[in-house]
Amino acid sequence: MDSTKQRNVKYKQKNTEASNRPFQEYTLKSSEIKPDVRDSIRYEKPKTKETEDISYDSTNKYISKFKQFFKVNIEIDVVSVTLFIGAIATRMYKLEQPRNIVFDELHYGKYVALYMKNTFFFDSHPPLGKQLIALAAYIAGFDGKCKFDRIGSSYSDSVPLVALRFIPAFFGSLIIPTTYHLMLEIGVSEWTSIFAAFLFLFDNALLAQSRFILMESMLLFFSLFGILCILKFRKYYLKPYNTAWFFWLISAAISLTCSLSVKYAGFYSCFLGVAIILRDFWRLLSQKSISDRSLFVRFLIQTLVSAVASITIYLLVFYVHLSLLYKAGPHDSIMTSAFQASLEGGLASITKGQPLLVAHGSQITLRHSHGRTCWLHSHNAVYPIKYPDKRGSSHQQQITCYSFKDVNNWWIVKRPDKNDLVVEQPVDFIKHGDVVQLVHGITSRALNSHDVAAPMSPQCQEVTCYIDYNISMPAQNLWKVDIINRDQIGDKWHTIQSLIRIIHVDTNTALKFTGKQLPDWGFHQHEVAADRVINQDDTVWNVEEHRYTKSEDQNEREKELVSAEMIPTAATSLSFWEKFFELHYKMMFATTESVQNHMYSSTPLEWPLMSRGIAYWVSSDTNAQIHLMGNIAVWYLSTFGLILYFTLLIIYLLRRRRQCFDLDALNWQKFQLIGEVFFLGYLLHYLPYFFVERTLFLHHYLSAFVFKALLFAATIEHVHYVLENVLKARMLAKGVVLASLGMVLVVIYVFKKFSVFSYGNVALNTGDILGLRWKDTWDFIVHKS
């Protein structure tokens, strides 16, 4: 014991003496340090005023800092570059073939052409994807004169087809390296990441969807890249507010918003990104070392930064859209009268110069303001005496909502206490709350309603033009004008700008467009009724066309209604916000309308096993064709991987409930993360389609498919890990590796086999097509000999 104490005392004295020596005396010589240790140790002199004055030259110090500030490190991921080159090669190969309109190029090509001509168009999805293609078309000198009239028609030589198809092909190529980096970021091995990228590289559906003027390749890239940015952002969660933290958060917000701005299906990816961040924040709440205030500040900053970035991008996309499309076009009638009148050469060419204020004697057309575009209409036909359900009608003159401009859309506003229909001087303007009669211009019968059930909506009242049959059914033709936006417009009834409800005085019901189509006796026009529920969008109308009645003679009035033409003056001016909100209202409404069935439509239940594809194009003289169908090997393996992951998850949860922990904490977290990103991503992009009431196609499944394929690749690696490290079944683990190699070979074989349907550049005979019909439900096109 004594000798040990003596050694310790000597050791302390030795170190004390050494610490009191000058710096030069105790600095180790580099020759005395082992090479591997020498590289990992840095020695610095104590920073005192004397040493700084002696050792450093101020000029050299600033030069050194200046050089470090502009230092750039360039790293090239050879694997990623190789995958991208492979993707470019497959996507860009003979991109101009076929030189015909393929499937939805019919629609998107028209939109791009209208961008070239600054002509307004309406689409139920946001415009970013179309804008990107239009930019490439503009650079290539596209004049927008191609009509895109029907699928299969040839493109003229003046159409820069490669430029139009380049953007989708480029983004489709970016999907492959993005997949590789996404898998690396989630924690799987490099080989598994390459395997996942290979599944996408050799999938025929992703290939075909990337080679034409379509939106899905852009949608998928922005979604996957946004999730990649979210995963990179997670690495800085414990060290917030640095440059990388803000960079990846903003990048994620921008990319996911871009996916939403291509198609509204990108909303599901946005929701997934938010769910991942909120899940991490929930886990962060358990960290006692972080104060409540710090957590609140972090949540607030995260929310504000991502919200500002997202809103800015989204608004910018629509600002560019509305700024470019300032001319009237074929879709104007979908928008309100005010919107149409703001476009150059549109409704304004008819309505400019018309009287601003509605008065007694005004001739007007009443347009349904929200939803379907149609005008209050009447004609000489009457309601049938009895309906198919045995209900009786009033047999009065029909009132409908007609979707086309027609002379029978004109009505004359009349004060009940005046007998003439001519506008007098001074003009008797109509105000909010005034009671009027609406006289049909051609038939001279007044708008009427009474306590008789409407033909298609029995819960509402029938609306008619009153005919006096000398029976006990008096006219009830008084209506009150209710101007709902009088706070902005004023109490007087304005043309175009005043949004009104027309309230039936006797029954306190509102004139309503019901949206229901009348049968043959109503010429398939839309029903108008009087509803007791007054405050709803379908009871809102506005005056679109307006002129003053000049003659009391009915024949003269009819001539005036048929032949009158207005003199243009100045256009209606709408702000960006007014146009923005109206356009979104119309987009929301348009998505609720059901379209007719398509022969290549499919249901969500048919998608996982690819029961049906879509015929995109077929040559007019050979059996060469484009057919959207995935690589059946990839699709079936991915579906198997989905079932396998879900089975393993249930087993693990049950065993952990029984306190059997098969995986260590790190691998369990990794398995959970795979599920939170890929399994949840699949469900978010797949399940909503079960509740969609419109025609669906296989391409609607692609967003869900990519998450399913990624889940399969990650699950295969997990199975290999369990076999090798948990169950110690090394032979089985090697079998998984060999099986994976076999899968790659099968995937490549199937890809090559069906690539003729992706490129459409091979003339096929009937035997070739029948040989590729591996499932009875696949409907390929075969020309009759």
Side-chain angles (χ1 to χ4, degrees):
M1 292 295 292
D2 293 339
S3 61
T4 303
K5 288 181 180 180
Q6 290 176 358
R7 282 198 301 272
N8 289 338
V9 170
K10 290 179 180 179
Y11 179 78
K12 290 178 179 179
Q13 290 176 346
K14 183 178 180 181
N15 280 281
T16 302
E17 292 173 359
S19 63
N20 291 326
R21 293 174 192 163
F23 177 79
Q24 290 81 358
E25 291 184 14
Y26 65 83
T27 301
L28 295 175
K29 297 179 181 178
S30 61
S31 59
E32 297 175 0
I33 308 174
K34 294 180 180 179
D36 56 338
V37 178
R38 184 191 314 139
D39 296 337
S40 62
I41 299 177
R42 296 175 63 192
Y43 299 96
E44 296 182 359
K45 296 181 181 180
K47 292 184 178 179
T48 63
K49 187 175 186 306
E50 291 76 15
T51 56
E52 283 188 3
D53 292 340
I54 295 171
S55 305
Y56 294 99
D57 180 79
S58 58
T59 303
N60 291 335
K61 180 173 66 173
Y62 287 117
I63 291 174
S64 177
K65 287 185 177 181
F66 183 80
K67 288 181 178 179
Q68 288 180 359
F69 182 78
F70 285 97
K71 185 178 181 181
V72 177
N73 292 323
I74 299 177
E75 295 183 5
I76 298 177
D77 191 322
V78 176
V79 175
S80 180
V81 171
T82 303
L83 290 170
F84 181 61
I85 293 173
I88 285 286
T90 54
R91 271 66 181 164
M92 299 289 182
Y93 175 69
K94 294 186 176 180
L95 194 58
E96 76 284 356
Q97 294 184 5
R99 199 169 177 84
N100 304 90
I101 296 174
V102 176
F103 196 56
D104 276 349
E105 284 189 337
L106 178 73
H107 303 297
Y108 297 122
K110 281 181 181 177
Y111 298 149
V112 172
L114 291 171
Y115 266 124
M116 298 299 102
K117 295 182 287 188
N118 302 109
T119 301
F120 178 80
F121 65 85
F122 177 82
D123 185 26
S124 58
H125 287 288
L128 177 60
K130 299 177 278 288
Q131 288 174 351
L132 293 173
I133 297 174
L135 176 62
Y138 175 77
I139 294 173
F142 181 45
D143 57 12
K145 292 182 179 179
C146 180
K147 294 183 179 180
F148 296 92
D149 49 358
R150 61 181 178 84
I151 296 174
S153 61
S154 299
Y155 288 107
S156 65
D157 293 337
S158 63
V159 177
L161 188 56
V162 173
L164 289 171
R165 291 176 176 174
F166 173 80
I167 293 296
F170 178 72
F171 280 98
S173 303
L174 286 176
I175 291 173
I176 311 305
T178 302
T179 299
Y180 167 73
H181 287 287
L182 177 59
M183 293 296 286
L184 287 177
E185 203 61 39
I186 210 163
V188 300
S189 68
E190 187 170 13
W191 285 111
T192 302
S193 302
I194 296 173
F195 177 68
F198 262 68
L199 296 181
F200 287 176
L201 179 62
F202 295 112
D203 181 72
N204 301 78
L206 294 181
L207 171 65
Q209 204 68 16
S210 300
R211 286 178 47 80
F212 305 106
I213 310 172
L214 304 171
M215 300 293 110
E216 273 68 27
S217 62
M218 289 175 274
L219 171 69
L220 293 176
F221 167 74
F222 285 125
S223 295
L224 292 175
F225 186 73
I227 299 301
L228 171 61
C229 293
I230 291 285
L231 295 179
K232 287 186 173 293
F233 169 72
R234 293 177 75 251
K235 295 194 301 186
Y236 302 94
Y237 223 70
L238 295 177
K239 297 179 180 179
Y241 312 131
N242 56 35
T243 304
W245 188 86
F246 279 107
F247 175 80
W248 291 116
L249 178 61
I250 294 173
S251 298
I254 291 175
S255 186
L256 292 175
T257 304
C258 286
S259 73
L260 179 70
S261 300
V262 172
K263 274 193 168 185
Y264 278 129
F267 169 79
Y268 306 127
S269 298
C270 295
F271 189 89
L272 175 62
V274 172
I276 295 171
I277 290 178
L278 290 179
R279 177 62 172 155
D280 283 340
F281 190 81
W282 178 259
R283 288 171 176 157
L284 200 64
L285 293 177
S286 63
Q287 299 288 335
K288 294 183 178 180
S289 58
I290 305 177
S291 66
D292 293 346
R293 181 179 178 181
S294 298
L295 286 171
F296 175 76
V297 170
R298 180 180 301 191
F299 180 81
L300 187 64
I301 292 176
Q302 268 184 206
T303 304
L304 287 176
V305 169
S306 55
V308 169
S310 297
I311 293 172
T312 301
I313 293 298
Y314 191 76
L315 290 176
L316 182 61
V317 167
F318 276 93
Y319 182 80
V320 171
H321 179 69
L322 293 170
S323 298
L324 289 176
L325 306 182
Y326 57 84
K327 296 181 181 179
H331 298 170
D332 294 358
S333 61
I334 295 174
M335 310 307 293
T336 63
S337 304
F339 194 106
Q340 293 180 64
S342 70
L343 298 173
E344 181 182 302
L347 177 68
S349 65
I350 301 173
T351 60
K352 292 171 187 175
Q354 65 186 9
L356 179 63
L357 297 174
V358 179
H360 167 77
S362 287
Q363 299 173 7
I364 63 172
T365 61
L366 281 168
R367 185 183 190 273
H368 179 234
S369 297
H370 299 299
R372 175 177 286 276
T373 301
C374 61
W375 293 265
L376 188 67
H377 177 95
S378 187
H379 38 240
N380 279 315
V382 296
Y383 291 109
I385 297 175
K386 284 190 177 294
Y387 299 119
D389 60 1
K390 308 303 181 184
R391 287 186 298 112
S393 78
S394 64
H395 203 50
Q396 299 275 324
Q397 184 171 305
Q398 294 177 15
I399 296 292
T400 66
C401 206
Y402 192 42
S403 298
F404 301 93
K405 295 293 184 72
D406 188 89
V407 68
N408 280 311
N409 297 345
W410 285 93
W411 300 81
I412 303 174
V413 180
K414 176 182 177 297
R415 292 280 193 188
D417 57 351
K418 291 186 178 182
N419 294 324
D420 66 293
L421 296 175
V422 179
V423 176
E424 302 171 344
Q425 295 295 331
V427 179
D428 184 7
F429 297 117
I430 306 298
K431 299 180 181 179
H432 169 73
D434 286 355
V435 175
V436 299
Q437 293 173 317
L438 294 174
V439 180
H440 188 239
I442 297 298
T443 64
S444 295
R445 294 192 173 113
L447 187 70
N448 185 80
S449 185
H450 40 227
D451 191 15
V452 175
M456 308 301 293
S457 306
Q459 73 278 11
C460 299
Q461 287 182 182
E462 183 185 70
V463 177
T464 69
C465 269
Y466 181 73
I467 302 174
D468 187 1
Y469 287 124
N470 290 320
I471 58 175
S472 57
M473 183 177 283
Q476 300 180 37
N477 54 18
L478 300 180
W479 301 85
K480 185 176 70 174
V481 177
D482 180 17
I483 303 175
I484 61 178
N485 62 338
R486 58 187 178 279
D487 292 341
Q488 296 84 32
I489 303 300
D491 284 342
K492 291 183 179 180
W493 188 359
H494 285 68
T495 303
I496 294 180
Q497 295 178 335
S498 290
L499 300 177
I500 66 166
R501 288 191 174 97
I502 304 173
I503 312 298
H504 189 236
V505 173
D506 293 282
T507 60
N508 195 36
T509 55
L511 193 70
K512 174 188 176 183
F513 162 78
T514 67
K516 296 179 180 178
Q517 197 168 23
L518 297 171
D520 292 341
W521 56 259
F523 309 101
H524 301 287
Q525 296 173 19
H526 287 84
E527 180 190 47
V528 173
D531 197 341
R532 284 182 169 80
V533 181
I534 294 175
N535 295 321
Q536 51 180 309
D537 287 343
D538 283 328
T539 60
V540 180
W541 304 79
N542 71 278
V543 172
E544 183 171 271
E545 296 178 65
H546 178 210
R547 59 179 69 98
Y548 286 159
T549 304
K550 299 176 182 178
S551 174
E552 182 66 27
D553 182 76
Q554 183 175 347
N555 292 330
E556 290 295 325
R557 287 203 311 268
E558 288 184 15
K559 290 180 182 178
E560 188 180 330
L561 290 170
V562 172
S563 62
E565 192 170 325
M566 308 312 297
I567 301 173
T569 55
T572 300
S573 178
L574 289 182
S575 69
F576 163 73
W577 293 108
E578 289 174 309
K579 288 185 176 183
F580 176 81
F581 287 118
E582 179 181 330
L583 182 58
H584 278 72
Y585 182 92
K586 297 294 183 180
M587 291 165 72
M588 290 174 60
F589 177 83
T591 57
T592 64
E593 290 189 353
S594 179
V595 297
Q596 294 181 348
N597 254 343
H598 190 282
M599 64 181 297
Y600 286 101
S601 64
S602 54
T603 65
L605 288 176
E606 296 177 292
W607 295 341
L609 297 180
M610 203 176 63
S611 298
R612 301 201 71 196
I614 312 173
Y616 272 11
W617 169 83
V618 61
S619 172
S620 58
D621 50 1
T622 72
N623 283 316
Q625 57 189 277
I626 306 293
H627 203 93
L628 181 69
M629 57 183 307
N631 187 316
I632 191 171
V634 178
W635 285 53
Y636 275 56
L637 287 172
S638 300
T639 301
F640 168 73
L642 182 75
I643 298 170
L644 179 60
Y645 179 86
F646 183 72
T647 303
L648 289 173
L649 178 63
I650 296 299
I651 292 172
Y652 287 147
L653 291 175
L654 291 175
R655 285 180 59 79
R656 291 176 78 85
R657 189 67 178 170
R658 297 289 297 168
Q659 301 300 308
C660 299
F661 300 100
D662 302 298
L663 302 175
D664 57 66
L666 184 62
N667 280 285
W668 172 243
Q669 289 178 3
K670 180 179 173 182
F671 184 79
Q672 280 183 300
L673 180 61
I674 290 169
E676 290 169 0
V677 178
F678 298 150
F679 188 68
L680 178 61
Y682 174 77
L683 296 179
L684 285 174
H685 288 82
Y686 178 54
L687 295 181
Y689 287 103
F690 284 94
F691 306 98
V692 172
E693 296 182 355
R694 62 186 177 92
T695 303
L696 297 172
F697 298 92
L698 184 64
H699 61 75
H700 289 114
Y701 184 64
L702 291 179
S703 294
F705 160 72
V706 297
F707 284 97
K708 184 175 69 169
L710 295 175
L711 179 65
F712 166 68
T715 304
I716 289 297
E717 177 175 300
H718 178 77
V719 170
H720 177 267
Y721 169 80
V722 170
L723 291 174
E724 185 170 28
N725 297 284
V726 178
L727 300 179
K728 306 298 182 184
R730 303 191 183 279
M731 291 300 295
L732 290 177
K734 291 181 180 179
V736 171
V737 175
L738 293 175
S740 299
L741 293 174
M743 291 176 201
V744 171
L745 295 176
V746 171
V747 165
I748 294 175
Y749 170 77
V750 175
F751 171 79
K752 186 176 183 300
K753 190 82 173 173
F754 286 89
S755 62
V756 292
F757 286 154
S758 301
Y759 293 106
N761 59 348
V762 177
L764 304 172
N765 58 42
T766 303
D768 294 332
I769 294 178
L770 294 178
L772 293 173
R773 195 167 182 257
W774 291 4
K775 295 188 70 173
D776 293 337
T777 55
W778 291 354
D779 297 324
F780 300 142
I781 297 176
V782 180
H783 283 303
K784 291 182 180 180
S785 302

